[in-house]
Amino acid sequence: MNKHTSKAIGAILLLAVLIWLLNTKYGVVPPLGKILSPSEGLWQNAERRKIKPEGSIVTGSVGSDVLIKYDRNRVPHLFAENEHDLYFAQGYITAKDRLWQMEMQARQAAGTLSEIFGMRLLQSDISMRRIGLFQAARQSLDSAMKDPRTAAMLEAYSEGVNAYVKKLKPADYPLEYKMIDRQPMTWKPVYSLAVLKLMAEKLTGGEAEFRMANGLEKLGMDTIKELIGEDSNAYPVIPRHSPWKFSPLPVGLSEGTIAGNIRNDDRVIGSNNWAVSGSKTQSGYPVLANDPHLELTFPGIWYQLQMNGPGINVYGVSIPGIPCIMIGYNKDIAWGITNTSADVVDWYRIRFRDRTRQEYWYDDQWHKVTKRIERFYPDKGGVITDTLLYTHQGPVVYDGSHRNRVYMGPAKEEEGFAMKWVLHQPSNDIKAFYFLNRAKNYVDFRQALTDLFCPAQNVVFADADKDIAMVCEGKYPLKYKDQGEFILDGSQKRDDWKGWIPMDEVPFTKNPENGFVCSANQPLTDSSYPYYIGGAFASEERAKRINIRLSSMKNINADSFRLLQLDTYRELAEAVYPVMLRRLKQSGIKVDKQLLMEMEGWDYKYTENSVAATLFDAWWRELYMTIWRNSLPGPGMTFPWPDFERTAAIIKTDTNSRWMDDAKTPQKETLTDVIASSYKAAMDKLIRKNGNLGDNWTWNNSDVKTIRHISGIPSFGLPGFKAGGAANTINALAGGFGPSWRMVVELGPHVRGYGILPGGESGNPGSFYYDNSFPSWKEGKLDELIFLSSREQANDAIIDSITLKK
């Protein structure tokens, strides 16, 4: 064999190895040959601003032609001649833009992500199966299929999704599918309901009882009552002293439980909505606003569209995977939602008869446990099984084999913790949105909401008849006062739920005297409401600020509310900052003159270029941590520390509070000592991080915001951008959370809507419409929404159209 032959053979072998490498998948690493292929790879996913018109698409599944018009932001406007075709088109067009997102959400809810991503997501899948999310979706499907309207809607939506998937060639697959070398799954109606349940889990699936149990064990009841007792609820969702014109159902009394509701200060789960009556507006008609604050992602949580068909013409945002519009308006009404944060989950300690866990003790006798085997098929992991145990309270989520991350599980194998959750109740929640999209007035609105069980929502309303309202709609358990603040005794009948609060007795207000309604995840009512609805509510800072602003505002229009949504004023700072500054001066500690000027001149706003916002935020957090870290055992996540408002109240009114003393030191610290030491610690940290006082100290450098890709791919997200706002300002923009959709609607003879997404309509990272709205969203602008009255109506904003043909 000569040297030329040897080189030729070597080259062939090298080429063979290279071809094998490029077409072989390693774990989650895709086959690079397919990714780089000019005919099927990522190049096929590039999409310019001006998209090549598709013309007509033959689906073979619609009864009549469906016209889809696209406006300049690539928002689809659907025009169908019957309901089947309308929801078919919604499924088709949503899949066209958000297929990967839809499948990931459905798989997360179903507990099958490990089938794609392997063992690293197995525990996540097991957790989802254990809380019964997909089982609840199956149960809801049974309810939905008994109603001919929702059954037909869900079937048509699934048909639309699958019609789109069927026409795809591998070269057309969304980029993420190419990266993991998989094809899209077939969509089923149960997946739509699973996505809805997943949203409910994010908003209601709390486990505060475990932290409260830790607190009870470590601190005792008296201390808990002192630190987390009843709150004044000065700015509840439903105005104070509202009349309740019904006789409440009997509930029974508690036997030695506590205290008050837990506040969430640092978790930006908040949302805002409000509406004002015509007496406060330029037009004489109501104006409504909504900006749900959720995790910021690419693609975004919401998908924007208009749907026009027989008896329906509605504009707003949907959740990809779910038919209907969730937040929006038609020519007669507008509505928006925020999370009630109500406690609709309770946890019960279960005592099994022995280690076999075949029976559990309840009401003075042993009862059989129901078992179900769940099977998991992780990629390259074989088959793994998990045995789920069910009691009459619900699934036993935590036991010796699967433990809560805060409360580290039972000490004995004969114990477990069962989850009682409203989400497990039979429901047809999607029916609420079906009728809400078609509502014409307040009566229609209230009737539609009677099917909304979980997640419970503060639903704001306004209509062209000049009515405004707020309804805290949902299915609420009938419980004794404070039931469920701690882990309940699963053996006692007295701790069972006693039924449900009647739907016509949930908290609501219509046309209140003050001329406005608003919610910001604060407590729902004052103490006059006759039923107990606990919860993990947000700080009242946003609610207070919104109430103050709406009380004084007049001649309101859409731009007035756009600016209000951008408000960065911090109510807590106004309350506590002067005390902190005064005590700092009294301490005698040396303070840089320039820093002092910044602090004394602050307007309490978290604007982008504010240095004082950075100073206060760092100082307040250090002060808060110093007080409670020195006083309470363990880190804050294992026990719910007192909220910011309770802490501020102690600082303002109880200067000799025992909580200021650090028990680990021989001397007794005072409020002045703690304020001085926390100031020094905060300034030291800021200097180490930012250097000497300068441009690096501005708020937009201190709190960098992010938008992540739903799969965690860094290059597909936005790792950092600068903007004003903070967790507890109206513009609740902090870290990776913020306004996932901003909307303002002016009601009247001719409704006008304004709104914007943080990203764009497309889920394709290679598309211009993936993040085209981000610059305007960041600057606080709103787009005027194109609400067409008919398919024939012309509008300069319409730039393209396609037709789905039968």
Side-chain angles (χ1 to χ4, degrees):
M1 183 183 296
N2 61 40
K3 63 179 181 179
H4 298 292
T5 304
S6 299
K7 286 184 177 181
I9 292 174
I12 292 170
L13 289 174
L14 180 62
L15 179 61
V17 170
L18 181 61
I19 292 172
W20 181 79
L21 288 172
L22 290 176
N23 288 277
T24 303
K25 180 185 174 187
Y26 303 91
V28 295
V29 179
L32 297 180
K34 292 185 178 181
I35 287 291
L36 300 176
S37 166
S39 61
E40 294 186 0
L42 58 86
W43 319 109
Q44 296 296 316
N45 296 92
E47 190 176 84
R48 292 190 176 93
R49 181 171 187 171
K50 186 172 178 57
I51 298 174
K52 182 180 179 181
E54 294 184 76
S56 297
I57 301 171
V58 178
T59 67
S61 301
V62 293
S64 302
D65 292 355
V66 180
L67 177 63
I68 301 171
K69 294 184 174 184
Y70 283 104
D71 65 32
R72 62 171 69 96
N73 285 319
R74 205 66 188 172
V75 175
H77 304 255
L78 316 181
F79 296 89
E81 296 181 10
N82 60 73
E83 284 195 1
H84 171 275
D85 293 354
L86 183 66
Y87 293 110
F88 176 95
Q90 185 185 9
Y92 185 97
I93 214 69
T94 306
K96 190 173 186 296
D97 282 328
R98 302 289 188 90
L99 186 62
W100 170 257
Q101 178 185 15
M102 292 167 62
E103 178 164 342
M104 289 302 99
Q105 291 179 143
R107 284 188 174 276
Q108 183 182 358
T112 60
L113 283 173
S114 61
E115 292 179 9
I116 294 177
F117 300 109
M119 295 295 290
R120 64 195 181 100
L121 288 184
L122 178 61
Q123 287 304 312
S124 173
D125 284 350
I126 289 174
S127 294
M128 279 298 175
R129 303 270 188 99
R130 284 206 164 205
I131 65 174
L133 205 66
F134 200 61
Q135 187 70 10
R138 291 192 187 103
Q139 191 169 255
S140 287
L141 182 66
D142 291 340
S143 297
M145 289 303 171
K146 292 174 184 176
D147 185 296
R149 288 161 296 212
T150 50
M153 177 175 65
L154 288 165
E155 292 284 5
Y157 188 91
S158 294
E159 289 174 23
V161 175
N162 292 327
Y164 175 72
V165 171
K166 186 177 180 180
K167 71 178 283 290
L168 291 178
K169 300 175 182 178
D172 303 321
Y173 288 170
L175 180 57
E176 295 90 344
Y177 287 102
K178 295 177 182 179
M179 293 182 69
I180 61 172
D181 195 26
R182 292 183 70 95
Q183 63 184 27
M185 70 179 185
T186 300
W187 195 261
K188 300 175 183 178
V190 70
Y191 293 147
S192 293
L193 299 180
V195 173
L196 184 58
K197 299 297 183 185
L198 182 65
M199 179 61 75
E201 187 275 332
K202 293 179 185 298
L203 298 176
T204 71
E207 299 181 0
E209 292 92 329
F210 293 95
R211 292 190 292 148
M212 290 295 286
N214 286 344
L216 181 62
E217 179 182 348
K218 295 174 182 178
L219 302 175
M221 182 64 74
D222 290 342
T223 299
I224 288 179
K225 285 184 176 180
E226 179 184 352
L227 298 181
I228 309 178
E230 291 287 358
D231 295 289
S232 63
N233 295 348
Y235 298 93
V237 174
I238 306 305
R240 292 170 60 84
H241 311 301
S242 293
W244 306 108
K245 300 177 181 179
F246 55 82
S247 298
L249 298 174
V251 179
L253 299 175
S254 63
E255 296 188 12
T257 55
I258 58 161
N261 301 311
I262 298 169
R263 306 276 192 178
N264 286 313
D265 285 305
D266 271 338
R267 292 176 58 211
V268 187
I269 59 170
S271 303
N272 306 315
N273 65 22
W274 60 77
V276 294
S277 68
S279 63
K280 298 177 74 69
T281 68
Q282 286 183 2
S283 67
Y285 285 88
V287 182
L288 176 146
N290 188 199
D291 55 318
H293 299 114
L294 297 164
E295 185 178 10
L296 298 176
T297 61
F298 286 156
I301 289 172
W302 307 103
Y303 182 70
Q304 191 179 170
L305 75 163
Q306 179 182 359
M307 300 176 65
N308 183 297
I312 180 174
N313 188 19
V314 61
Y315 191 110
V317 288
S318 66
I319 295 175
I322 306 174
C324 296
I325 281 175
M326 302 292 163
I327 299 171
Y329 65 95
N330 57 38
K331 70 180 183 64
D332 299 306
I333 76 162
W335 74 95
I337 58 178
T338 71
N339 191 29
T340 64
S341 303
D343 184 9
V344 294
V345 175
D346 280 345
W347 291 88
Y348 291 81
R349 188 187 297 271
I350 302 300
R351 178 163 66 94
F352 298 109
R353 187 165 193 165
D354 52 40
R355 294 182 180 183
T356 65
R357 295 183 287 180
Q358 302 287 336
E359 296 177 298
Y360 68 100
W361 185 252
Y362 169 72
D363 197 24
D364 297 326
Q365 57 184 307
W366 295 107
H367 295 259
K368 289 288 185 182
V369 168
T370 301
K371 294 188 177 183
R372 192 175 81 242
I373 305 297
E374 290 286 352
R375 290 177 173 80
F376 302 84
Y377 304 91
D379 185 37
K380 297 180 181 177
V383 181
I384 294 172
T385 62
D386 185 33
T387 301
L388 273 59
L389 311 178
Y390 283 83
T391 70
H392 75 288
Q393 300 291 8
V396 177
V397 177
Y398 300 117
D399 55 24
S401 65
H402 194 69
R403 299 186 173 190
N404 176 274
R405 64 185 177 204
V406 174
Y407 186 89
M408 295 305 294
K412 302 176 182 178
E413 293 185 26
E414 295 86 359
E415 288 184 339
F417 296 96
M419 184 186 201
K420 182 78 170 180
W421 194 4
V422 170
L423 181 139
H424 293 147
Q425 297 297 312
S427 66
N428 188 7
D429 303 87
I430 195 68
K431 184 179 177 182
F433 295 100
Y434 174 91
F435 282 110
L436 193 56
N437 289 186
R438 293 163 170 77
K440 299 181 183 302
N441 51 44
Y442 176 76
V443 174
D444 291 350
F445 165 75
R446 287 302 303 270
Q447 182 60 41
L449 291 183
T450 57
D451 285 294
L452 183 60
F453 285 14
C454 187
Q457 298 288 290
N458 299 311
V459 189
V460 69
F461 166 87
D463 68 11
D465 293 333
K466 301 187 178 182
D467 288 324
I468 62 170
M470 180 75 72
V471 184
C472 307
E473 192 63 59
K475 192 177 182 73
Y476 299 106
L478 196 61
K479 302 196 292 186
Y480 58 70
K481 189 176 186 303
D482 300 321
Q483 183 177 354
E485 293 286 352
F486 296 103
I487 296 170
L488 294 167
D489 187 347
S491 70
Q492 297 294 324
K493 194 172 185 178
R494 69 165 185 255
D495 283 345
D496 289 352
W497 291 354
K498 303 302 186 294
W500 308 100
I501 296 176
M503 281 297 198
D504 58 355
E505 296 178 11
V506 300
F508 79 96
T509 185
K510 179 187 178 188
N511 298 327
E513 291 183 5
N514 60 11
F516 66 86
V517 293
C518 68
S519 76
N521 312 109
Q522 74 271 37
L524 306 186
T525 69
D526 64 10
S527 59
S528 68
Y529 183 65
Y531 295 112
Y532 171 69
I533 301 178
F537 300 108
S539 162
E540 279 191 337
E541 288 187 69
R542 284 183 292 119
K544 180 180 179 181
R545 179 64 175 169
I546 295 168
N547 270 269
I548 290 172
R549 294 289 293 116
L550 292 180
S551 294
S552 63
M553 292 175 71
K554 299 178 181 178
N555 297 317
I556 293 167
N557 60 15
D559 201 55
S560 308
F561 280 178
R562 178 187 70 84
L563 294 172
L564 184 55
Q565 288 177 334
L566 302 176
D567 188 290
T568 64
Y569 190 92
R570 185 78 192 273
E571 288 290 333
L572 178 80
E574 181 188 29
V576 76
Y577 202 33
V579 177
M580 294 165 63
L581 282 174
R582 186 172 66 252
R583 292 276 177 173
L584 181 65
K585 293 175 182 178
Q586 292 172 359
S587 73
I589 193 172
K590 185 178 180 180
V591 181
D592 182 271
K593 289 183 178 180
Q594 188 176 353
L595 282 175
L596 189 60
M597 288 179 59
E598 291 282 356
M599 291 188 288
E600 290 182 331
W602 189 32
D603 58 3
Y604 308 127
K605 293 181 179 180
Y606 279 68
T607 52
E608 287 188 51
N609 296 317
S610 173
V611 171
T614 299
L615 294 170
F616 170 74
D617 206 74
W619 185 11
W620 168 254
R621 291 179 185 279
E622 193 67 37
L623 174 60
Y624 176 83
M625 292 295 294
T626 300
I627 293 171
W628 301 120
R629 184 175 53 222
N630 292 342
S631 305
L632 300 177
M637 283 302 293
T638 62
F639 167 67
W641 285 5
D643 59 54
F644 285 178
E645 289 157 316
R646 181 62 57 90
T647 306
I650 292 173
I651 290 172
K652 289 177 63 179
T653 61
D654 189 2
T655 57
N656 296 316
S657 172
R658 65 188 175 105
W659 300 112
M660 301 303 144
D661 182 43
D662 184 354
K664 296 186 290 293
T665 64
Q667 69 272 17
K668 183 178 180 180
E669 285 82 8
T670 66
L671 173 61
T672 300
D673 295 331
V674 177
I675 283 177
S677 64
S678 61
Y679 170 80
K680 186 176 184 306
M683 293 307 109
D684 288 346
K685 288 180 180 179
L686 286 173
I687 291 171
R688 285 199 301 270
K689 178 183 177 183
N690 302 319
N692 293 327
L693 182 65
D695 291 342
N696 287 341
W697 286 56
T698 58
W699 179 244
N700 60 15
N701 281 313
S702 297
D703 186 63
V704 178
K705 283 71 173 177
T706 62
I707 300 179
R708 74 171 187 89
H709 184 259
I710 58 172
S711 297
I713 302 172
S715 59
F716 290 174
L718 193 61
F721 66 93
K722 299 174 181 180
N728 289 314
T729 64
I730 295 178
N731 186 18
L733 180 57
F737 292 80
S740 58
W741 163 246
R742 292 192 184 109
M743 181 185 78
V744 178
V745 182
E746 294 180 323
L747 281 300
H750 302 287
V751 65
R752 299 184 71 176
Y754 305 83
I756 197 163
L757 294 169
E761 287 287 274
S762 178
N764 174 15
S767 171
F768 170 83
Y769 298 99
Y770 180 68
D771 59 358
N772 62 296
S773 292
F774 172 75
S776 294
W777 174 87
K778 180 180 175 295
E779 293 174 18
K781 298 177 180 179
L782 295 177
D783 295 324
E784 182 166 3
L785 306 178
I786 310 303
F787 184 57
L788 303 175
S789 59
S790 67
R791 67 169 64 201
E792 292 81 19
Q793 182 181 349
N795 189 293
D796 291 341
I798 301 300
I799 60 173
D800 190 14
S801 68
I802 62 174
T803 302
L804 303 182
K805 301 185 74 68
K806 59 181 179 179

